[in-house]
DNA sequence: TAAAACTTTATAATTTTTTTAAAAAGATTT
DNA sequence: AAATCTTTTTAAAAAAATTATAAAGTTTTA
């Protein structure tokens, strides 16, 4: 690697440290980058000259001479487009480098299944949003997109949705159409990334993040980094053979964890129980519209509706059985329950803990902490922004 | 880290490269160590002066000027004591740095369960073997020991066997008693290490090694290195909840994979079937001794005995179901069937493949190769030697 | 309360290491 | 068979890491 490239790599690395932790000293940067103080000092001086970083006065004392601290310079306007795609709705927001919302969140209904115009509509939506923001393209570092499906971030392809004819990858296609660097990844991986950098898993080495959404996803942090497996598809948690039920899964197999734990299944079951005469606070919405939106279901559970709680608990017990498997295999420090289903976190915890008591070697279960995410509501967007930060060039 | 320490680290690293690959050129060493050629050149010259390495003439041409190649110097006598402990028998051998057997393999019956004199007997056995070898202690780099149980290599403790009173760790206790550096690890981890360095997984990044022995173990290679989990106990494959059977497992839970797949269970089942009148080539041994040694059972299966094959196949199908779970979660490049049970590898493959067809997303299963180990018979001893090489100091 | 002792950061000088360039040796092509 | 291309080896220059020293605070202690 040439000298200039190495120096650019160090610049990128230092900016990332500031992105994750606002104020840092030279000594801290040197420790984290494993580079010498003189080198870090001169690189930081270069970043100050280029306007990326500014001096922030003396840091708090740690028992000796107080260190100068530095932080990102808001005047250097650089932005990130973060996109979170789910089965029904696509959300987009623009952040600055301090993770402040620069351009407000916009949602668009965009159904992934059986939608031939999907990719085209998606591109139009983003084009319109970005141009409407008024931010010049050269101030945008890139677009990070989280989406469901079998996604390989490295190859830049999705084998399930947004399929393209021909040889071009989805990543390259979007990048060409939108005129900006594009980075795509699996939704669960991005949620895990957000938990690693900003959530419960901050600075931890081995963390598993369960994404409770339309399906059950898994993002894996191994040795302090996202683990993707040899061809990019690790964490296919929802299709492990675990359920006793004989229902056919969307993947074509029977016994997948997913068939009894997805939000789709839970809502179907709640509907069926109401049809069979069960009373619930969800009745009104369901009876009048014949629909039961996920939010209504989750909020009902959250506020203690017995039907919703019962349906959710049954599913959570099975998720807990899956988590027991994960604990045995991975011996993680922490498992985080995240994704949109995590708003019902407190209700999920009891049956999951019960399953762990039943299926885990107690001594092993003790080594793993289980927590509900505190950043779940915008974890995927945060993760999408992080994906850009991790992969873009600061110039 | 001081300059001298860094130089010693590089020396150790280079010697390790020679241990794994006999002949290497300076350019190759530079690539692997990520150090510059001048530095590698001068370090190798130092190692030649100290007698560790010798020039080995010109390497084969790769299209330009032929490079000098180097190799370990056999005259620098350095040896490794490798120990493989299983539930019944303990084996020990002394290797040189070329993995040649310097002092022949010795076996001792040593039952781990309910054996109060275990640790003492174990130490006596090793003391006698080492002193009987006539090799001066200062030529022995260390003792590597693989053993069953919940072993933390980092902490140097075993929570299942060789328990000690007081605060001293097993590793430290053995080291003090034997007067040599001692390194301990889980048997399955060492088998995985051997497969990574000398077997089917050589130079691969994500490999899972299933250890088919008295129980079912798992050693995990992640990102090119042994993965141990956050507290050292990753890979507890045999106790994941997978079996439909209601039998109680030794761990106190029901439904563990182990209850239907361990060699112990298989032999019990073969005995029961013979008692019930099934005919088999194993009858003679069983009828006369009322015992059925593992070797007899495995050899019967290998030579096509229908009863043994049937028992083995049923267990292998369940192992295959567990492997399906592993494929979904880890997306490994390769899964190796190793351990003493791997001698019946060909018979295992069919039911395992069948289970994968039934329980894996086909598209995902295609990304993982399944192989039977070619170094299984002495994988654990090789792994124990490797453990020493990885952790000792060459001085 | 003030000086001494201790910590930590910042800068300078030195040593180590890497990079770059050039030379040497061997293979391949014309 | 000479010329061109590759690769290794050596040498010189540049970059980075150590080490040492100075500077700036904190804490301890008399």
């Amino acid at each position: 690697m040439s000298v200039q490239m190495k120096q650019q790599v160090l610049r990128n690395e230092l900016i990332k440290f500031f992105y994750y932790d606002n104020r840092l000293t030279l000594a801290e940067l040197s420790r984290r980058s494993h580079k010498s103080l003189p080198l870090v000092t001169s690189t930081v001086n270069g970043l100050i000259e280029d306007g990326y970083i500014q001096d922030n006065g003396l840091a708090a004392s740690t028992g000796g001479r107080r260190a100068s601290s530095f932080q990102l310079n808001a005047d250097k306007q650089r932005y990130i487009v973060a996109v979170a795609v789910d089965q029904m709705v696509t959300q987009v927001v623009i952040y600055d480098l301090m993770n402040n919302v620069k351009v407000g969140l916009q949602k668009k209904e965009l159904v992934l299944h059986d939608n031939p115009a999907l990719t085209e509509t998606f591109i139009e939506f983003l084009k319109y949003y970005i141009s409407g923001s008024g931010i010049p393209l050269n101030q945008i570092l890139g677009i990070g997109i989280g989406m469901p499906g079998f996604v390989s971030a490295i190859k830049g392809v999705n084998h399930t949705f947004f399929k393209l004819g021909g040889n071009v990858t989805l990543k390259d296609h979007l990048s060409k159409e939108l005129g900006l660097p594009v980075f795509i990844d699996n939704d669960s991986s991005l949620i895990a990334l957000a938990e690693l950098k900003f959530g419960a898993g901050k600075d931890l080495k081995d963390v598993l993040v369960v994404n409770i959404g339309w399906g059950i996803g898994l993002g894996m942090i191994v040795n302090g980094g996202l683990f993707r497996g040899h061809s990019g598809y690790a964490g296919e948690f929802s299709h492990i053979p675990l359920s006793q039920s004989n229902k056919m899964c969307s993947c074509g197999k029977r016994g997948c964890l997913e068939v009894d734990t997805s939000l789709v299944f839970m809502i179907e079951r709640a509907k069926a129980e109401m049809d069979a005469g069960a009373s619930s606070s969800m009745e009104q919405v369901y009876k009048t519209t014949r629909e039961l939106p996920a939010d209504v279901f989750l909020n009902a559970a959250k506020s203690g509706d017995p039907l919703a709680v019962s349906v959710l608990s049954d599913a959570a017990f099975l998720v807990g059985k899956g988590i027991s498997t994960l604990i045995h295999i991975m011996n993680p420090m922490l498992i985080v329950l995240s994704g949109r289903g995590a708003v019902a976190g407190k209700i999920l915890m009891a049956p999951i803990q019960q399953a762990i008591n039943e299926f885990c070697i107690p001594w092993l279960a003790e080594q793993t902490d289980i927590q509900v995410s505190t950043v779940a509501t915008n974890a995927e967007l945060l993760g999408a922004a992080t994906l850009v930060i991790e992969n873009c060039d600061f110039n």
Side-chain angles (χ1 to χ4, degrees), chain A:
Chain A
M1 208 194 298
S2 77
V3 171
Q4 293 93 310
M5 278 172 71
K6 279 177 81 169
Q7 285 169 344
Q8 183 62 46
V9 166
L10 182 56
R11 283 169 59 104
N12 287 350
E13 195 178 5
L14 296 185
I15 292 176
K16 284 180 207 171
F17 290 141
F18 283 107
Y19 176 73
Y20 298 124
D21 295 278
N22 292 7
R23 274 176 261 284
L24 293 164
T25 66
L26 294 173
E28 183 60 29
L29 289 168
S30 167
R31 266 191 297 277
R32 294 198 191 186
S33 62
H34 304 286
K35 295 287 165 185
S36 70
L37 251 162
L39 178 59
V40 167
T41 305
S42 76
T43 307
V44 165
N45 287 337
L47 287 171
I48 290 173
E49 268 181 36
D50 292 355
Y52 265 110
I53 284 178
Q54 61 187 22
D55 194 307
N56 190 48
L58 295 179
S61 167
T62 54
R65 172 172 171 178
R66 290 169 68 190
S68 312
S69 75
F70 300 87
Q71 64 178 17
L72 287 172
N73 181 4
D75 295 342
K76 182 85 176 183
Q77 301 178 45
R78 286 297 129 95
Y79 305 100
I80 306 148
V81 181
V83 184
V85 177
D86 85 7
Q87 304 276 355
M88 303 294 174
V89 176
T90 290
Q91 300 178 291
V92 57
V93 70
I94 296 183
Y95 291 117
D96 67 14
L97 287 179
M98 285 84 165
N99 273 334
N100 300 312
V101 173
K102 169 75 176 175
V103 181
L105 181 78
Q106 196 162 321
K107 295 189 189 191
K108 182 173 177 64
E109 282 221 6
L110 204 64
V111 177
L112 301 191
H113 271 287
D114 301 322
N115 185 346
L118 174 61
T119 309
E120 209 179 321
T121 319
F122 181 70
I123 291 171
E124 281 314 308
F125 170 56
L126 290 183
K127 252 187 195 160
Y128 185 79
Y129 177 80
I130 294 169
S131 71
S133 76
I135 298 175
L137 288 193
N138 62 8
Q139 290 184 2
I140 296 179
L141 293 165
I143 306 176
I145 310 174
M147 45 178 70
F150 281 106
V151 181
S152 166
I154 297 147
K155 295 175 196 149
V157 295
N158 186 334
H159 288 270
T160 316
F161 305 112
F162 298 96
K163 287 185 188 168
L164 301 173
N167 253 337
V168 68
T169 65
L170 177 58
K171 176 192 159 106
D172 290 343
H173 179 65
L174 294 175
S175 186
K176 195 182 147 215
E177 291 289 321
L178 294 163
L180 284 168
V182 169
F183 308 96
I184 70 173
D185 206 336
N186 178 269
D187 49 0
S188 298
S189 293
L190 290 191
I191 288 170
L193 200 56
E195 296 291 348
L196 173 70
K197 298 297 188 180
F198 301 104
K202 194 162 163 65
D203 299 329
L204 298 184
K205 305 273 277 172
D206 295 294
V207 181
L208 302 181
V209 181
V210 179
N211 173 20
I212 298 166
W214 291 113
I216 299 289
L218 177 65
M220 309 170 84
I221 306 296
V222 171
N223 290 329
L226 213 44
F227 176 69
R228 302 179 187 278
H230 114 269
S231 58
Y233 307 103
E236 257 316 311
F237 184 50
S238 60
H239 296 287
I240 64 173
L242 214 87
S243 167
Q244 313 284 18
S245 121
N246 205 34
K247 281 195 290 285
M248 181 71 90
C249 175
S250 61
C251 78
K253 304 274 165 197
R254 294 174 196 282
C256 294
L257 181 63
E258 173 139 326
V259 297
D260 287 329
T261 58
S262 71
L263 210 40
V264 176
F265 163 78
M266 287 192 263
I267 286 171
E268 284 309 312
R269 204 186 130 194
K271 282 181 180 177
E273 301 249 348
M274 282 189 281
D275 287 337
S279 70
S280 158
S281 61
M282 301 177 285
E283 267 176 279
Q284 186 143 30
V285 174
Y286 179 52
K287 290 268 160 74
T288 53
T289 64
R290 298 306 295 170
E291 288 294 324
L292 184 51
D295 291 333
V296 173
F297 173 76
L298 289 170
N299 283 325
K302 215 170 143 188
S303 55
D305 176 80
L307 174 59
V309 169
S310 144
V311 169
L312 199 60
S313 296
D314 287 354
F317 183 81
L318 257 180
V319 172
K321 191 173 176 184
I323 288 178
S324 302
T325 300
L326 293 177
I327 289 175
H328 280 102
I329 294 173
M330 302 299 294
N331 180 218
M333 164 160 250
L334 171 67
I335 293 179
V336 182
L337 307 178
S338 190
R340 70 186 296 183
V343 294
K346 276 191 186 145
I347 294 151
L348 295 167
M349 281 300 272
I352 286 177
Q353 199 59 59
Q354 205 175 321
I356 290 173
N357 292 342
E358 186 164 330
F359 297 114
C360 261
I361 299 176
W363 185 78
L364 207 58
E366 274 168 25
Q367 323 254 331
T368 298
D369 190 17
I370 317 262
Q371 287 181 24
V372 177
S373 169
T374 53
V375 298
T377 45
N378 49 358
E380 193 176 343
L381 287 167
L382 267 182
T386 306
L387 184 68
V388 174
I389 293 292
E390 284 291 318
N391 292 286
C392 73
D393 251 316
F394 298 90
N395 43 36

